[in-house]
Amino acid sequence: MTGTRRPAVHYVGFRGDEYRRALCLFGPPDFIHIGWDMWAKQEVVDGDVAIFARGTFEDAPSAYSFPNIREEDGGK
């Protein structure tokens, strides 16, 4: 097997109907990131495709981890 791999598709910040629309346009994601934080940015590697509900890859990532924020507010 060669070192070639299929690019991974990352969905970032999708919360509602826009997720269903993205599925129709881009197909299912390989990774879903609640928001754009340092963990999400590290997981998107060269050749991958990152699809944002809002913003771009060039936006500064949040200083806080989104799963921690979600857990702290009771999952709301």
Side-chain angles (χ1 to χ4, degrees), residues 24-43:
C24 291
L25 290 171
F26 304 106
D30 296 299
F31 300 95
I32 297 174
H33 307 284
I34 294 172
W36 191 232
D37 59 14
M38 291 303 297
W39 293 104
K41 187 166 185 168
Q42 290 176 4
E43 289 186 10

Side-chain angles (χ1 to χ4, degrees), residues 8-16 18-19 22-23 26-45 48-62 64 66-67:
V9 176
H10 301 257
Y11 281 10
V12 182
F14 288 86
R15 298 179 191 266
E18 71 269 14
Y19 177 80
L23 282 175
F26 304 106
D30 296 299
F31 300 95
I32 297 174
H33 307 284
I34 294 172
W36 191 232
D37 59 14
M38 291 303 297
W39 293 104
K41 187 166 185 168
Q42 290 176 4
E43 289 186 10
V44 179
V45 298
D48 284 357
V49 177
I51 301 166
F52 290 78
R54 291 172 194 80
T56 71
F57 186 85
E58 300 303 321
D59 292 348
S62 172
Y64 300 98
F66 275 89

